[in-house]
Amino acid sequence: MQNVGEQGHMALLGHSLSAYISVLDRERLRKLTIRILSDTTLWLCRLFSYENGSAYFHEDDRDGLVKVCRLVINARYEEYSSEGYAVLSSKQPVIYQSASGRPGLGQHLCSQVGGVIQAPVCQNGM
């Protein structure tokens, strides 16, 4: 067999792993997925020196930012978990977005983070 090099080896390994995963039954696939998630989370926590971190995987590239915004709102508004959006009525959060940000990102964040937050609260930063 020819020497395929490191990139070829990684491609072959990736395709082999994909083929193996495609034939797993549901329970084994669930176990493998949980193992990959836990190992990846542990690796990232060690890499960035976090003791109790967690990884979050998403398909839409905006969902990571939505998750971070929700975490910040929960941290800044202590009663948010018990009282919900009513807590935001007295002092609404403001989301600043860079002018170079993805078009529509501010509106997406506002709609996902707090359905009752009005569009004027979302502002573009300079």
Side-chain angles (χ1 to χ4, degrees):
M1 185 169 165
Q2 281 185 313
N3 186 1
V4 293
E6 188 175 337
Q7 289 178 339
H9 179 74
M10 293 304 291
L12 182 62
L13 181 63
H15 285 287
S16 298
L17 186 58
S18 176
Y20 172 71
I21 289 172
S22 70
V23 297
L24 289 177
D25 64 81
R26 196 179 252 338
E27 182 59 24
R28 286 189 180 206
L29 180 60
R30 186 186 68 75
K31 287 179 180 180
L32 178 63
T33 305
I34 290 170
R35 178 64 187 258
I36 291 171
L37 175 62
S38 65
D39 287 355
T40 304
T41 300
L42 180 62
W43 176 74
L44 288 170
C45 288
R46 287 180 179 165
L47 182 67
F48 293 106
S49 301
Y50 289 124
E51 288 185 27
N52 293 317
S54 63
Y56 176 72
F57 298 95
H58 49 84
E59 292 182 29
D60 187 334
D61 60 350
R62 301 173 296 182
D63 286 345
L65 192 52
V66 169
K67 178 85 168 170
V68 169
C69 287
R70 286 182 177 151
L71 289 170
V72 170
I73 287 174
N74 277 302
R76 297 276 168 98
Y77 298 88
E78 294 177 9
E79 297 85 22
Y80 181 76
S81 60
S82 61
E83 301 201 20
Y85 295 111
V87 174
L88 303 178
S89 64
S90 62
K91 185 180 177 193
Q92 292 185 341
V94 177
I95 299 171
Y96 291 95
Q97 175 185 342
S98 168
S100 63
R102 180 176 170 178
L105 179 61
Q107 289 75 20
H108 178 74
L109 284 174
C110 287
S111 68
Q112 294 297 309
V113 172
V116 297
I117 298 175
Q118 301 297 317
V121 175
C122 295
Q123 302 172 9
N124 286 327
M126 297 279 182

